[in-house]
Amino acid sequence: MTARGTLRVYLGAAPGVGKTYKMLEEGRRRQERGTDVVVGFVETHARPFTEAMLDGLEVVPRKDVSYRGAAFTELDLDAVLARRPDVALVDELAHTNVPGGVHAKRWQDVDQLLDAGIDVLTTVNVQHLESLNDVVEAITGVPQRETVPDAVVRRAEQIELVDMTPEALRRRMAHGNIYKPEKIDAALGNYFRVGNLTALRELALLWLADKVDEQLDRYRADHAIDKTWEARERVVVALTGGPEGDTLVRRAARIAARTKGADLLAVHVVRGDGLSGADPANLTRQRLLVESLGGTYHQVLGANVPRALLDFARGVNATQLVLGASRRGRVAQILSPGVGTTTTAESGTIDVHLVTHDQARRLSWRRAAPGGLNLRRRLLGFVVALAGLPLLTTALDALRGELGLPSDILAYLVLAVAAALAGGLLPALLCAVGGFLLLNWYFTPPLYQFTVAEHENLFALVAFVFVAVAVASVVDRAARRARDAARASAEAQTLATLAGSVLHGDNPLEALLERVRESFGLTNVTLLERAGELGPWQIAATVGGPPCASPADGETEVPIADDVSLVLRGHALPAEARRLVVAFAAHAAIALRQRRLGEQAAAAGTLAEVDRLRTALLSAVSHDLRTPLASAKAAVGSLRSADVDFSPEDTEELLATAEESLDKLTRLVENLLDMSRLQAGALAMTLQPVSVAEAVPRAVDDLGPAAAGVRLVVPDELPEVYADPTLLERVLVNLLANAVRYSPDGRPPMIGVSEHAGLVDIRVIDHGPGIPAADRERVFQPFQRLGDRDNATGVGLGLALSRGLAEAMAGTLQPEHTPGGGLTMTLTLPSAEAAGHIDTPSPALLAHLETRRAGKVDR
């Protein structure tokens, strides 16, 4: 199997920095070393220094490609593969190949060369990287249509930055070493401004720094290097889920901000038992805070918190670690050093910051949590203890001659364990104390006295009490843990359902609030927002009964931010439920933010679409207005000229030219006005029965000599359609003109008419180049001219206007493939009989038309 070749990329911040020159220089150096090097494709841009570097290098001839009547040259991939050099030089990695080649993009050609075992040297500018494409456009104002995926470049074994200061690059431009003299001033004043070049240079440096960082991490992992290498400042902040986390995150962000390019990472260690007591609401809020400050949030699992923290910090090559000061008291710190002290002692080269906060060493006296067993179980335990002690004592007294003291102790121990299993700690303690007393009185010499004659018996009785209490404690703790685990599982399940509500559905915010209302049995849940801290509250979303207009209207308020609050109505929530509600509130804030961003994006998209249409309109109409105006002006000006005497024939021809030009101008203006009326819903129509047999010939006549060869297939027995006669004729003229324009010589278009189920289909069939299925809907957008980059074929309003007019008459207009090649436009209108001679067709007919529009009925 052939080993894959290696890729070396020369990365530049802008054209002209010398990427191609450096690539050729490396190719010549390798050739002098004896390596077989060929030039697969190099674009010199007529730069003399670059062209000089080609001397002495073998150049594989380019492949000639013809596309739409124009000639192009491309990389001859097959020729390079057949030549099989050691190294191939291929310029412009992001280049888009001319359609018809083996691959759509040049980077795919390069990938095939690498698979064949050929090493490749190539070049690319930072503006062509996919991840930076929109950023570069925002900086320079120039869209880049040729891009290469970042992963392709990152896979390169070597990436070399060809760097140059903006001032030096502008000098090179001014000396004529990049562009031709006539383009220099425009380039220096636009793309090659100092600010643009500086920003592009920074983007290139930062992108390459990330690539170098990946290589460093890979090297450290391959060589099992655990020590921190301070190549880049990385600040890790440890979060426990306590209220002090916000303070720690902000402090860590300030530390990271002191060094440009520093990374901020937050980490929460989940203990192995999953019951660390971390508040999910606090963690959710702190995660959002970290992300808003440009950091990332991570969660790791570890039984030993200090070791897990340090393993994570070393794994991400952190330089600083931020911890909160301990919330434990002095006695607890004496008994156990705590996370902060242990982490600091074992941190090694990582700097540890212990940050004080309001919660530090604050003792919180909280009511002890109730036991894990319910009342029924506890009562059962007391019954076992109170009933079992006398029964067991009676039974052992009857067996006094057969059993000794050790067996008696074991019997009472079994009873204590049974009480612990049934009712937990208190019944077991009662059973242990009672058993101790009964054993001492009835079975330990001297009998019937609370004294013990032998030390061995005393030890046995004390051991009995200790074991009974220990077993009872273990059972009680297990019950508490089971209760906590069940509650944590329920909360996790609820939060998972909550996350699904946010991610799925058309209205995630309402779905989330409904989930809150259902989970806690509330009558209403309202999310309020306001502009600023003192502005009036506005309802952002509400579910359930009458909404709460202010936080005072509900029983429970959960503030999310100064300007956002969740208000609950129905009943007051217990303290243990409030923690989960706070987590719900944090997710509600996320959903609200998603909605606001979606609204902003929709508004921006609408404005962008309006701007695109306006730009397309000005670009297209500029030609279509100018051409007929120029023709008419030239004809009228010639007729008015006193310098030339025109014959009657010439005068007639000039007048016909002027009339034809003015007719074109009139049609253009009418199309624009009708499109505007359609979009504004102000188009006046007079719907009435119309004979298709009369409307189709009139449309053919309107086109004049151009439609002389059009074939008509109109049945004699054909119902009338319910339409506006003028608008119907306009639609047919537009469709027929389009078909005539693209029909080949000797194969004129055809118009066929048929009727089925109350609908009349008028088909305009041509045998031209047709339209790919993926582009058929796009032709109905205003100012679209597929496959045509000039303005000679009109503004692209004809089909858009035709569909709009058809739908205004309760009809449809659909494109289809013509068997044998070409395009068929099918205009479907309701028959006058089916429409019932009324202004609004029946709902059944409209549903049928909608089905036809969706393509669900075979034509």
Side-chain angles (χ1 to χ4, degrees), residues 424-469:
L425 182 61
L426 293 179
L429 288 177
L430 174 63
C431 193
V433 173
F436 174 82
L437 296 175
L438 291 172
L439 281 168
N440 191 1
W441 181 267
Y442 284 105
F443 303 105
T444 304
L447 301 178
Y448 311 117
Q449 298 180 23
F450 288 112
T451 57
V452 180
E454 299 180 8
H455 295 292
E456 180 181 354
N457 293 337
L458 178 62
F459 175 77
L461 292 175
V462 171
F464 157 73
V465 173
F466 176 78
V467 171
V469 172

Side-chain angles (χ1 to χ4, degrees), residues 107-392:
W107 65 262
Q108 295 171 315
D109 296 337
V110 168
D111 202 48
Q112 186 169 346
L113 292 176
L114 294 172
D115 288 338
I118 301 172
D119 295 343
V120 177
L121 307 183
T122 188
T123 65
V124 70
N125 277 328
V126 69
Q127 67 262 30
H128 296 299
L129 295 173
E130 185 66 51
S131 65
L132 300 178
N133 184 259
D134 57 338
V135 179
V136 173
E137 181 178 354
I139 293 171
T140 64
V142 179
Q144 302 291 335
R145 293 181 174 83
E146 293 187 327
T147 60
V148 58
D150 290 45
V152 174
V153 184
R154 289 187 184 278
R155 283 200 301 265
E157 282 71 18
Q158 298 181 62
I159 301 179
E160 181 175 332
L161 179 65
V162 183
D163 190 29
M164 179 175 288
T165 64
E167 293 77 14
L169 184 58
R170 285 171 59 85
R171 283 197 300 271
R172 178 179 287 184
M173 171 72 73
H175 293 159
N177 294 330
I178 300 177
Y179 288 162
K180 294 181 180 180
E182 60 270 18
K183 297 183 178 179
I184 292 176
D185 290 339
L188 290 175
N190 292 282
Y191 194 88
F192 284 80
R193 295 195 301 268
V194 173
N196 287 358
L197 296 178
T198 303
L200 293 173
R201 188 186 186 203
E202 183 178 14
L203 283 177
L205 290 169
L206 290 175
W207 190 92
L208 188 61
D210 288 338
K211 166 67 176 177
V212 174
D213 204 48
E214 291 176 5
Q215 293 176 334
L216 178 62
D217 290 342
R218 188 162 54 247
Y219 177 85
R220 294 176 70 244
D222 293 342
H223 293 79
I225 298 174
D226 294 331
K227 290 185 177 180
T228 300
W229 288 5
E230 299 184 15
R232 172 187 281 193
E233 200 72 30
R234 280 191 178 86
V235 181
V236 173
V237 54
L239 301 177
T240 63
E244 74 281 357
D246 299 47
T247 302
L248 300 182
V249 170
R250 293 188 176 94
R251 181 59 183 272
R254 290 196 296 271
I255 295 174
R258 295 171 187 167
T259 305
K260 187 173 180 60
D263 294 333
L264 173 64
L265 301 90
V267 59
H268 170 65
V269 178
V270 179
R271 297 180 64 91
D273 55 12
L275 300 171
S276 60
D279 191 334
N282 286 341
L283 287 176
T284 301
R285 186 182 67 254
Q286 290 156 13
R287 175 177 63 83
L288 295 175
L289 178 60
V290 170
E291 293 173 351
S292 69
L293 293 172
T296 56
Y297 177 84
H298 307 267
Q299 195 161 288
V300 297
L301 183 67
N304 188 311
V305 176
R307 181 175 298 173
L309 277 177
L310 291 173
D311 287 345
F312 175 81
R314 295 188 180 108
V316 298
N317 205 22
T319 56
Q320 302 189 59
L321 181 59
V322 178
L323 302 174
S326 177
R327 287 180 285 171
R328 303 184 307 154
R330 293 185 182 276
V331 176
Q333 292 187 36
I334 293 174
L335 297 175
S336 174
V339 174
T341 304
T342 305
T343 304
T344 304
E346 300 177 1
S347 61
T349 58
I350 301 176
D351 297 335
V352 179
H353 302 263
L354 283 177
V355 179
T356 59
H357 49 83
D358 294 339
Q359 305 296 322
R361 295 187 181 177
R362 176 178 295 178
L363 297 178
S364 57
W365 300 96
R366 293 179 295 181
R367 181 175 60 87
L373 299 176
N374 56 34
L375 179 61
R376 182 178 179 182
R377 287 280 302 276
R378 292 186 179 280
L379 291 177
L380 177 61
F382 282 112
V383 169
V384 171
L386 294 175
L389 286 173
L391 291 175
L392 180 61

Side-chain angles (χ1 to χ4, degrees), residues 759 810 841-854 856-857:
L759 299 175
S842 66
L845 181 61
L846 288 176
H848 195 175
L849 283 167
E850 185 60 34
T851 303
R852 296 290 293 269
R853 183 180 293 116
K856 297 177 182 177
V857 174

